[in-house]
Amino acid sequence: MSASMNLLPGMPSRPALSEAALPAAVREIAVLVGLPKTLQLVERLGGTTFPVPKRATKVGELRYFMLADVVGVEAADLLCRHYGGTNLYVPRCAEALRKARDAEIVATFDRETKKRSANAVVAELALKYRLSDRRVWMVLKG
């Protein structure tokens, strides 16, 4: 599944991401709220533990609105019903995101080098993904 919103700083779009490559906790959240909303949660809160509110106190309401700001009201309601009162660790998913980015780099390189030089394409990919050209070449060789 893929969507067209920015997930990592400097990345113009979200590369195709295999749901199977994601940690089990993230897949569980995706079943509840869908992959696009889950990836928004990972983008904004990845690597942190978020106390999911039951919405019984003023602090709980503030946390709810913070969550709703990240994933929307409908998804926040679902998360609060399912995880309310618990501390939810949101994994960074760094490895899965890196693999998806690398796959996108290879696919773009293969497609674009039919029209332009490899050096020009690598330079463009390095800027697009905020990598060094050396790193892009390493991705392409891997």
Side-chain angles (χ1 to χ4, degrees), residues 31-87:
V31 168
L32 266 179
V33 300
L35 188 59
K37 294 290 183 184
T38 301
L39 293 176
Q40 289 174 338
L41 190 66
V42 168
E43 178 181 3
R44 295 274 298 276
L45 298 176
T48 66
T49 300
F50 183 79
V52 181
K54 288 185 178 180
R55 301 186 67 188
T57 65
K58 287 182 181 181
V59 171
E61 279 298 292
L62 287 172
R63 287 189 179 133
Y64 167 79
F65 287 118
M66 188 173 125
L67 186 59
D69 185 49
V70 172
V71 295
V73 172
E74 186 178 320
D77 288 342
L78 289 168
L79 290 168
C80 287
R81 274 197 296 271
H82 190 79
Y83 296 106
T86 66
N87 289 322

Side-chain angles (χ1 to χ4, degrees), residues 1-140:
M1 291 185 180
S2 67
S4 63
M5 66 175 297
N6 190 8
L7 185 58
L8 299 175
M11 284 184 57
S13 64
R14 177 181 295 140
L17 182 65
S18 166
E19 207 168 326
L22 296 170
V26 174
R27 289 194 311 268
E28 182 181 316
I29 295 168
V31 168
L32 266 179
V33 300
L35 188 59
K37 294 290 183 184
T38 301
L39 293 176
Q40 289 174 338
L41 190 66
V42 168
E43 178 181 3
R44 295 274 298 276
L45 298 176
T48 66
T49 300
F50 183 79
V52 181
K54 288 185 178 180
R55 301 186 67 188
T57 65
K58 287 182 181 181
V59 171
E61 279 298 292
L62 287 172
R63 287 189 179 133
Y64 167 79
F65 287 118
M66 188 173 125
L67 186 59
D69 185 49
V70 172
V71 295
V73 172
E74 186 178 320
D77 288 342
L78 289 168
L79 290 168
C80 287
R81 274 197 296 271
H82 190 79
Y83 296 106
T86 66
N87 289 322
L88 177 64
Y89 176 71
V90 181
R92 287 184 48 233
C93 304
E95 185 177 345
L97 295 172
R98 183 183 42 76
K99 286 180 179 180
R101 180 207 64 198
D102 290 355
E104 180 68 19
I105 286 171
V106 171
T108 302
F109 180 83
D110 290 345
R111 183 180 62 249
E112 292 298 315
T113 51
K114 292 176 183 172
K115 306 175 222 166
R116 300 182 294 145
S117 77
N119 287 338
V121 174
V122 166
E124 186 177 292
L125 287 169
L127 290 172
K128 177 179 179 180
Y129 291 99
R130 299 184 69 196
L131 300 170
S132 68
D133 57 352
R134 180 176 285 176
R135 179 69 191 143
V136 173
W137 282 115
M138 288 172 60
V139 166
L140 293 169

